[in-house]
Amino acid sequence: MKLNPFLLFIAAWAILGCSTLPDASDPVAQLQLVESVPVETDLGNPDMPKAEAVWMDMISKARESIHVSQFYVQTVPHSSLDRVLKAMEAAAARGIKIQFLVDEAFVKRYPDDTGKAVEAIKKWPNTEVRITNRWTKSGGIQHAKYFVVDSRDAFLGSQNFDWRALDHIKELGFRLRSPPLVGSLMAVFQDDWTKAFNKEAAQELDPKLFQPAMWKDADGTVNTVSLKVSPNPDSNNPVLWDLPPILQMVREAKTHVRIAAMLYKPSFFDKRTWTELESLLIEAAKRGVKVQVMVDQKNKPVLFKNLIEGGVQVGFVKIPTHSSGVIPYARLVHAKYMVVDNQKAWLGTSNLEGDYFYNSRNISLIFDSARFAQNMGQVFDRYWSSSFTAMLKSDDKGILKAH
């Protein structure tokens, strides 16, 4: 397999190391928190960049290549995603080479939506599309959502390539121009691209290409951000797996855990229980940590019975219907992130269910950085304290309801 020259640079960087940590002005520290906000709500932060603008800027600056990995594609005319896709097609027309990886599940399930969108992308010049079935043997999906421009500028977040994700759903992600993190992301892409149709192929991810981004703030505080993946690439050494550091953050929490996702279920798709996260959230609450879990109102209240009884606060978010009427699969909170003690954080592409960590391709950023943890904490608090969020409580019959 031919290695990307940028990955060779990252490997050399990792081996040689640095005698001193860079400061916050160095490219290694170039991370930018980006959100998508449901229109007709006041939930957005006017000072935080929005995904459409960031994506358009990245695509407009492409000079050589764009590598895209998405769960699916669904668009409608004149939407934000329609503009993004047209910009990407224009980039292909000016000679930018595009590799577009998408999971097969929605292509088969929605031939008139995702299927047609993927067929249209196949017709772009300088573009190759692969519809992957790599994770189907384990019952999983290609659920990671990211793209990389020129192997130097990347976006990773909860946003699917879905027109609703940019206009009608709460999403959160990061623009990454940090060489170590972009290099890690390209290593994942190359492995998934080359094995897109091989259900038997093991992951081959070199830990040397997954060095953390580290830098010092002006006051000397050291920040660390690492890129991790699911499922676990190596059963003998889970150093690249994202679930262990997520669980460890909860295990070590001292004052506060705030965690958000669209879906929560302490089980796998096949009904087997999955209580690793739940048990740690309850343990944290019982030792005096304030634990808040925020999910979309489409979840079943009964699934949170153990959490509520264990002292965990649960908030259901209900985004109001758009003025145009009901939009299927929209008006949701879909961002997946956690903030611990305002010092550490996780942002990724997994819902809080077992299969996302054990059977499907997902990607996470693990932060030991007070600045980024606090930024994500502010986003959480804005939604938690809004009029759209109701607390889940039990009535006198023990039935859970959002109040």
Side-chain angles (χ1 to χ4, degrees):
M1 180 179 68
K2 183 179 180 181
L3 276 177
N4 187 300
F6 185 68
L7 298 187
L8 294 175
F9 164 75
I10 294 300
W13 178 88
I15 292 170
L16 292 174
C18 299
S19 57
T20 59
L21 287 177
D23 61 32
S25 65
D26 193 274
V28 76
Q30 290 193 17
L31 291 79
Q32 182 181 41
L33 186 60
V34 178
E35 69 176 356
S36 301
V37 181
V39 296
E40 300 183 351
T41 72
D42 59 357
L43 292 170
N45 180 347
D47 297 324
M48 188 175 295
K50 303 303 180 283
E52 180 190 358
V54 169
W55 291 8
M56 294 291 277
D57 181 61
M58 293 172 64
I59 295 165
S60 71
K61 293 177 178 176
R63 295 296 176 263
E64 297 175 359
S65 63
I66 302 176
H67 298 85
V68 183
S69 182
Q70 280 287 326
F71 180 26
Y72 66 94
V73 185
Q74 288 190 0
T75 189
V76 295
H78 313 299
S79 64
S80 294
L81 185 65
D82 184 47
R83 291 188 287 272
V84 168
L85 291 172
K86 285 180 177 177
M88 202 169 281
E89 182 179 8
R94 68 173 187 266
I96 306 302
K97 296 187 182 303
I98 297 179
Q99 292 181 324
F100 205 110
L101 184 67
V102 63
D103 190 79
E104 75 169 6
F106 271 34
V107 175
K108 289 183 174 181
R109 191 180 305 168
Y110 302 106
D112 293 334
D113 291 317
T114 297
K116 287 184 177 179
V118 171
E119 289 303 312
I121 293 170
K122 286 181 178 179
K123 296 176 183 177
W124 295 353
N126 300 304
T127 299
E128 182 181 359
V129 176
R130 293 187 180 179
I131 302 172
T132 182
N133 62 2
R134 182 180 186 187
W135 309 105
T136 55
K137 183 177 180 180
S138 62
I141 51 178
Q142 199 302 116
H143 194 251
K145 311 130 190 328
Y146 64 93
F147 66 97
V148 184
V149 174
D150 295 340
S151 297
R152 297 182 182 277
D153 191 2
F155 186 91
L156 170 69
S158 61
Q159 290 91 340
N160 289 300
F161 262 31
D162 185 328
W163 65 278
R164 290 157 291 208
L166 297 181
D167 295 327
H168 293 285
I169 298 175
K170 171 57 189 174
E171 311 276 12
L172 208 58
F174 270 89
R175 183 176 185 174
L176 309 170
R177 284 166 284 188
S178 174
L181 301 177
V182 177
S184 300
L185 205 51
M186 280 301 300
V188 178
F189 183 89
Q190 288 195 341
D191 195 63
D192 287 346
W193 179 262
T194 57
K195 300 169 184 173
F197 314 120
N198 191 340
K199 301 176 187 179
E200 307 298 328
Q203 297 181 69
E204 295 178 285
L205 300 176
D206 186 349
K208 294 188 181 69
L209 299 178
F210 287 77
Q211 299 299 312
M214 299 180 67
W215 71 92
K216 283 186 179 181
D217 290 333
D219 62 1
T221 301
V222 175
N223 299 264
T224 303
V225 184
S226 302
L227 189 140
K228 306 287 186 181
V229 304
S230 284
N232 183 11
D234 184 352
S235 60
N236 296 316
N237 183 11
V239 65
L240 298 183
W241 191 18
D242 58 2
L243 183 59
I246 293 170
L247 298 178
Q248 189 65 20
M249 278 191 277
V250 179
R251 192 176 289 112
E252 296 176 351
K254 295 178 174 62
T255 61
H256 203 168
V257 174
R258 288 169 281 182
I259 187 166
M262 184 179 78
L263 299 174
Y264 170 87
K265 190 179 290 185
S267 64
F268 291 88
F269 296 158
D270 63 6
K271 311 293 187 180
R272 287 178 297 128
T273 59
W274 178 67
T275 59
E276 287 174 291
L277 177 62
E278 180 172 87
S279 62
L280 289 176
L281 292 173
I282 293 171
E283 287 175 13
K286 288 183 175 179
R287 67 174 182 268
V289 176
K290 183 177 181 180
V291 181
Q292 297 168 290
V293 176
M294 183 167 61
V295 296
D296 191 81
Q297 58 89 28
K298 70 182 297 180
N299 286 263
K300 295 179 179 180
V302 69
L303 297 174
F304 300 85
K305 183 176 184 295
N306 290 340
L307 289 178
I308 296 292
E309 292 179 349
V312 174
Q313 298 177 30
V314 178
F316 271 30
V317 185
K318 184 177 182 179
I319 304 298
T321 302
H322 189 254
S323 59
S324 65
V326 175
I327 302 172
Y329 311 111
R331 314 304 287 176
L332 306 166
V333 289
H334 188 251
K336 303 116 173 22
Y337 61 104
M338 177 175 71
V339 181
V340 176
D341 298 340
N342 270 334
Q343 298 294 316
K344 297 182 179 183
W346 157 71
L347 183 142
T349 64
S350 292
N351 285 304
L352 304 179
E353 300 182 35
D355 289 86
Y356 289 95
F357 295 102
Y358 279 88
N359 298 321
S360 294
R361 166 63 81 223
N362 282 287
I363 301 180
S364 295
L365 295 171
I366 306 296
F367 296 83
D368 189 347
S369 170
R371 176 165 66 92
F372 285 120
Q374 290 164 17
N375 288 346
M376 282 184 265
Q378 290 167 3
V379 175
F380 185 100
D381 291 345
R382 191 161 69 243
Y383 279 75
W384 183 268
S385 62
S386 77
S387 60
F388 306 129
T389 301
M391 296 302 108
L392 196 63
K393 298 179 181 178
S394 59
D395 60 19
D396 55 2
K397 296 180 181 179
I399 299 174
L400 290 175
K401 294 182 180 178
H403 298 271

